Amino acid sequence: MSSSRTGRGPVRGGVRVPALLVPLVLSALVVLVAGCQRSGPGDGPEEPHTVNVERSGLSMLLGAGDLGAGWRADDARPGLPPWPWEQDDCPDYRSSDYTAKSHRRAAVERYYRLPDGSSPAHHIVETYEPGWAERNVDDVRAVLRRCASYLVHGSRVSFEIIDPHYLGGVGLLVRGRIAHADTPTTARYFVMVKRDETVSTISLPDLGNQAAVDTIAAKAVARLG
């Protein structure tokens, strides 16, 4: 993410991520997880749009047990989480092209960790103004088209839509990869589901099989009510 914005962690190769995601190759992939801004983006550079943070969405966040044995959940983070699909390291990405994010009414997020310190999971739930959740889905699809593959400091970041009509049409399943010259490829899964004006986005490390991802995604849908 852009280093010119306010973030929650160090800048690595132009990507701002939390301190727990310090490896450069991982931070390049997890730009969809961490985000980099603490206030709502505007419709344009001269039209800031204020978004109020509400805590009513906490019940829609996954619990640690929803991810499986051994996971521990952090407290939900205070302050407005960023839009989870920013891609400032992608040459074809322009934040101002994606206007739905400036019409969020509220958003909450939580991180989940395993005792071994391996890659965390992340969940963000956003509520949009009427009509804007669907436009947000369109924006996400556009980001994934424009930034399907690009280079970051010699490593190739890529995103593939595994299922464009996931969970019977209410969601989107994406696999992100970063290919390194001298180390194994890193993979991560992203699940986005929408119900009315609420959008739930989960980021998961590679769990070894899609069935595990499907189970967690179904629980996220149930949390939306």
Side-chain angles (χ1 to χ4, degrees):
M1 324 277 322
S2 171
S3 62
S4 63
R5 300 179 185 177
T6 302
R8 292 191 293 269
V11 176
R12 306 284 179 176
V15 183
R16 186 175 293 278
V17 296
L20 60 93
L21 300 180
V22 293
L24 171 63
V25 293
L26 183 57
S27 67
L29 176 60
V30 189
V31 287
L32 295 186
V33 180
C36 57
Q37 57 198 35
R38 303 300 291 174
S39 59
D43 293 336
E46 297 180 357
E47 300 181 31
H49 187 96
T50 301
V51 182
N52 294 322
V53 180
E54 300 174 359
R55 308 299 286 177
S56 58
L58 291 175
S59 63
M60 291 185 281
L61 289 171
L62 291 167
D66 292 327
L67 275 69
W71 287 93
R72 297 292 180 267
D74 290 354
D75 291 336
R77 296 196 171 197
L80 181 69
W83 191 55
W85 300 92
E86 298 279 7
Q87 288 288 297
D88 284 355
D89 276 318
C90 170
D92 295 325
Y93 179 83
R94 292 186 301 275
S95 182
S96 59
D97 289 344
Y98 308 99
T99 56
K101 60 186 177 179
S102 34
H103 293 271
R104 298 192 301 173
R105 283 182 164 174
V108 290
E109 67 175 339
R110 177 174 286 149
Y111 283 88
Y112 311 82
R113 311 171 195 273
L114 288 168
D116 63 6
S118 57
S119 184
H122 177 261
H123 189 196
I124 180 170
V125 176
E126 306 165 287
T127 302
Y128 284 81
E129 296 171 4
W132 284 95
E134 186 61 39
R135 293 183 65 173
N136 173 70
V137 174
D138 293 339
D139 281 355
V140 172
R141 292 180 185 274
V143 168
L144 293 171
R145 285 195 303 271
R146 291 185 184 181
C147 298
S149 179
Y150 58 92
L151 289 173
V152 178
H153 288 265
S155 295
R156 179 160 296 279
V157 176
S158 61
F159 299 97
E160 177 187 6
I161 298 178
I162 303 300
D163 190 341
H165 306 289
Y166 191 49
L167 299 174
V170 301
L172 186 69
L173 176 63
V174 178
R175 181 169 55 222
R177 287 194 176 105
I178 182 162
H180 328 293
D182 53 0
T183 57
T185 296
T186 302
R188 195 166 185 90
Y189 287 86
F190 305 92
V191 175
M192 182 180 68
V193 294
K194 183 185 81 69
R195 177 159 292 173
D196 299 326
E197 297 303 326
T198 300
V199 179
S200 175
T201 304
I202 309 160
S203 167
L204 297 166
D206 189 350
L207 301 175
N209 61 82
Q210 187 175 321
V213 176
D214 295 344
T215 297
I216 294 170
K219 292 177 180 178
V221 172
R223 289 261 179 179
L224 295 180

